[in-house]
Amino acid sequence: MSDEKPEARIQVIDRAATLLDVISRYSTPVKLKVLSADAGLHPSTAYRILHSLIDNRFVERSGDGTYRLGQRLLQLSNRIHSDIELRAVAMPYMTKLRDQLGETINLTIREGDAVVYYDKATPNRMMHVNQIIGSRAPLHVTGVGKLMLGKGGEKEIESYAQRTNLPAYTRNTFTSLPTLTNECLASVERGYALDNEEAEIGVGCIGVLIYDHTNQPVAGLSLSAPIERRRGEWVEDLKLAGEAISEQLGYRPLQSVEE
Amino acid sequence: MSDEKPEARIQVIDRAATLLDVISRYSTPVKLKVLSADAGLHPSTAYRILHSLIDNRFVERSGDGTYRLGQRLLQLSNRIHSDIELRAVAMPYMTKLRDQLGETINLTIREGDAVVYYDKATPNRMMHVNQIIGSRAPLHVTGVGKLMLGKGGEKEIESYAQRTNLPAYTRNTFTSLPTLTNECLASVERGYALDNEEAEIGVGCIGVLIYDHTNQPVAGLSLSAPIERRRGEWVEDLKLAGEAISEQLGYRPLQSVEE
DNA sequence: GAAAATCGTTGCGTATTGCGGAATGAGAGT
DNA sequence: ACTCTCATTCCGCAATACGCAACGATTTTC
């Protein structure tokens, strides 16, 4: 990091970054004296910055007074890794489905009580369903969301219903707990869910879950189409794609619990 | 991060960590308004911290004004990963060799003109060679170091000689460029190197290189013993262990250059 | 298309925070 | 036991980070 940029910089962030760099250059944990010398900082300055980085788990300190990079860096970068991997694995299947079926294919992930549209493959036709990447929809009005609720079981569906009060988006939205519960559990049972104009009149979806090596659902795959164009035979295509993506992410169905 | 710790904390490091956490909670890139709200910071404060994090590559900003985690986190955590992996892969072979041959087995890595003792397996006998983890030795007086120099070719050996002036550690140290060059290149040729009391009188070593998926040497494996106990037949054991470790790290010998 | 609202960015004054020097404590080396 | 070195803490100070307000750009609304 240079000082040539005219914009105001925050000195202590630059200094913290320098210390992390210096630590990363050594293959064994390093002492304070070496770190302050290499970073060009006063030892008491380096000491305080390092201990703030320790508090935030970017750095760890051993009993012998040496410092090394901390677990927070792994956790944050795992986030980047898993995002990159999910997209990279899913996108070829999505584009293939899009080309084969001629409708929009969405990749979604769960964020609390909503699904977020994470990526998509849209067909080259004038009329197609277009979801905005980054936008979100409540779980109970999407196919994938109903599957995610269903995987959580009756208690989770009930908690969700209490938190959200199951607002109606169309006249087809499930707004009563018993019917939503039946719908979610049945969807899990058959391995896919339909959205029958529950989020938006005129739009129908087919959704399946994507699992990873933890054998938990991590994302959803869905096809959105104008309701009159949606065909039941596409369910199998979505299921096969969801399974293939899941396997590439390390999912092993019917595996005994050993981890 | 809480405020209950009595020690002085650096506020802006805490705030930067909070912003990184907030970004990591979202699965899609996030706008400034959301980040400042979730982090409980004034927008201009969040703006300045974020841009300092951008300068240091912990965060990236897209043209649409959204922020996501940056590549620096990956780079720093790759450092942690590769360290963990090397040790995890090598240690079982090291302990097996130690038990089989009854002498100290070292794992070393290169740091500039030195090798650093990175890990070790020491035998349960009163007299054994003991290298201090974290300590370093000049390349030209260690078996592994001579191999690393040899892999670099004559020009690198010459540069090294000019930089260091090949100081003698014992009467057996190679202190002339021609003889050191011959020794390094011959060692590479036969796939192992010996340290014949070149670093310390009375201590002899056998060293081999460890490669990874980049097909480059990333570490060294060596046996250190009192010179009168060292046996030439152990060379094959070191070579086999070095190859096995390398393969587990993704090394593919005789692979055409395609990466 | 114009006006209003919102978000992002920047300048500025201030006070809070981070800094460096010095002192102290702990541990290592002789 | 003494000396030396490194790590840690305290303290006064000024530089830095901050928040407010204003401005520019973009989006939203009518």
Side-chain angles (χ1 to χ4, degrees):
Chain A
M1 47 247 96
S2 67
D3 290 286
E4 79 233 2
K5 291 197 74 181
E7 297 92 339
R9 304 174 65 94
I10 296 183
Q11 182 183 70
V12 69
I13 290 181
D14 287 346
R15 286 177 160 183
T18 298
L19 285 165
L20 289 172
D21 263 357
V22 170
I23 295 175
S24 80
R25 275 191 235 126
Y26 286 85
S27 20
T28 51
V30 201
K31 288 226 171 204
L32 176 70
K33 182 179 170 67
V34 170
L35 291 175
S36 71
D38 282 13
L41 296 173
H42 193 280
S44 65
T45 303
Y47 183 88
R48 256 193 294 274
I49 294 176
L50 283 167
H51 280 262
S52 221
L53 290 172
I54 290 168
D55 290 337
N56 287 289
R57 298 193 298 106
F58 289 101
V59 164
E60 287 167 11
R61 181 170 187 256
S62 299
D64 66 348
T66 55
Y67 299 84
R68 62 180 179 274
L69 295 177
Q71 295 298 303
R72 184 76 158 283
L73 294 164
L74 283 177
Q75 283 162 7
L76 290 170
S77 78
N78 281 347
R79 186 62 214 246
I80 303 171
H81 269 303
S82 65
D83 292 351
I84 292 169
E85 188 188 17
L86 174 61
R87 267 199 170 92
V89 168
M91 190 46 84
Y93 293 93
M94 288 167 67
T95 54
K96 186 183 171 193
L97 272 175
R98 185 263 323 267
D99 295 342
Q100 176 185 339
L101 308 182
E103 300 293 353
T104 301
I105 305 297
N106 307 295
L107 179 65
T108 54
I109 51 196
R110 181 174 178 171
E111 240 174 51
D113 289 339
V115 294
V116 180
Y117 289 88
Y118 192 59
D119 215 341
K120 68 186 176 185
T122 51
N124 186 17
R125 64 199 293 180
M126 289 192 72
M127 227 276 258
H128 64 262
V129 176
N130 192 30
Q131 299 284 3
I132 298 171
I133 300 299
S135 68
R136 61 189 61 227
L139 293 173
H140 70 296
V141 303
T142 68
V144 168
K146 288 185 292 185
L147 285 166
M148 289 172 172
L149 282 170
K151 289 295 286 188
E154 294 195 38
K155 287 195 174 182
E156 183 172 336
I157 302 169
E158 185 174 353
S159 297
Y160 172 86
Q162 280 169 355
R163 287 195 299 275
T164 64
N165 242 357
L166 304 181
Y169 279 68
T170 71
R171 64 182 177 268
N172 299 306
T173 304
F174 289 89
T175 55
S176 94
L177 179 58
T179 53
L180 178 67
T181 302
N182 285 341
E183 167 69 6
C184 293
L185 298 180
S187 297
V188 169
E189 190 70 26
R190 57 177 181 258
Y192 71 92
L194 301 177
D195 161 11
N196 297 317
E197 298 181 270
E198 294 157 44
E200 188 170 336
I201 293 299
V203 175
C205 299
I206 305 171
V208 298
L209 288 175
I210 292 173
Y211 300 79
D212 72 358
H213 62 91
T214 64
N215 283 16
Q216 293 299 312
V218 292
L221 184 74
S222 64
L223 172 149
S224 297
I227 191 68
E228 68 277 3
R229 280 184 351 217
R230 195 184 66 182
R231 292 158 70 180
E233 70 221 41
W234 292 344
V235 165
E236 197 59 26
D237 299 301
L238 266 293
K239 278 180 138 186
L240 289 172
E243 284 161 16
I245 295 169
S246 298
E247 283 185 25
Q248 269 195 252
L249 294 177
Y251 174 60
R252 295 291 176 264
L254 299 181
Q255 179 169 329
S256 62
V257 182
E258 60 190 347
E259 302 166 47
Chain B
M1 43 246 96
S2 69
D3 291 286
E4 77 233 5
K5 290 196 77 180
E7 298 92 339
R9 302 173 67 93
I10 296 183
Q11 179 179 207
V12 68
I13 289 181
D14 287 346
R15 287 177 160 184
T18 299
L19 285 166
L20 289 172
D21 262 355
V22 171
I23 296 173
S24 80
R25 277 192 231 125
Y26 287 85
S27 18
T28 51
V30 203
K31 287 225 169 204
L32 175 70
K33 181 178 171 67
V34 171
L35 290 175
S36 71
D38 284 11
L41 296 172
H42 193 281
S44 64
T45 302
Y47 181 88
R48 260 188 283 268
I49 294 176
L50 283 167
H51 280 261
S52 219
L53 290 172
I54 290 168
D55 290 339
N56 287 290
R57 298 195 295 108
F58 289 101
V59 163
E60 288 167 9
R61 181 168 188 255
S62 298
D64 68 347
T66 56
Y67 298 84
R68 63 180 179 275
L69 296 176
Q71 294 299 302
R72 185 73 158 283
L73 293 164
L74 282 176
Q75 283 162 6
L76 289 169
S77 77
N78 280 347
R79 188 56 215 251
I80 303 172
H81 270 301
S82 66
D83 290 352
I84 291 169
E85 188 187 17
L86 175 60
R87 268 199 167 93
V89 166
M91 191 45 83
Y93 293 92
M94 288 165 69
T95 55
K96 187 184 170 193
L97 273 175
R98 186 264 322 267
D99 294 343
Q100 179 185 336
L101 308 183
E103 300 293 352
T104 302
I105 306 297
N106 306 293
L107 179 65
T108 54
I109 51 195
R110 181 172 176 171
E111 240 175 50
D113 290 339
V115 291
V116 180
Y117 289 89
Y118 192 61
D119 215 343
K120 67 186 175 185
T122 52
N124 187 16
R125 65 198 293 179
M126 289 194 71
M127 228 276 256
H128 64 263
V129 176
N130 192 29
Q131 298 285 4
I132 298 171
I133 300 299
S135 67
R136 61 189 63 230
L139 294 174
H140 69 297
V141 302
T142 66
V144 168
K146 289 186 289 186
L147 286 164
M148 289 172 171
L149 282 171
K151 291 295 288 188
E154 294 196 38
K155 288 193 173 185
E156 183 173 337
I157 302 170
E158 185 175 353
S159 298
Y160 172 85
Q162 281 171 351
R163 287 197 299 276
T164 64
N165 243 355
L166 302 181
Y169 277 70
T170 72
R171 64 181 175 272
N172 300 306
T173 305
F174 289 90
T175 54
S176 96
L177 180 58
T179 54
L180 178 66
T181 302
N182 285 339
E183 167 70 6
C184 293
L185 298 180
S187 298
V188 168
E189 190 69 26
R190 59 178 181 257
Y192 71 92
L194 300 178
D195 161 12
N196 296 315
E197 296 182 270
E198 295 157 43
E200 187 171 336
I201 292 298
V203 175
C205 300
I206 305 171
V208 298
L209 288 177
I210 292 174
Y211 300 79
D212 73 357
H213 61 91
T214 64
N215 283 15
Q216 292 301 314
V218 293
L221 185 73
S222 64
L223 173 151
S224 297
I227 191 70
E228 68 276 5
R229 279 180 358 212
R230 195 184 65 182
R231 292 158 70 179
E233 72 221 40
W234 290 347
V235 165
E236 196 59 26
D237 299 300
L238 267 293
K239 278 181 142 184
L240 289 172
E243 286 161 15
I245 295 169
S246 299
E247 285 186 23
Q248 269 196 250
L249 295 177
Y251 175 60
R252 295 292 174 265
L254 299 181
Q255 179 169 331
S256 64
V257 181
E258 61 187 349
E259 304 166 43

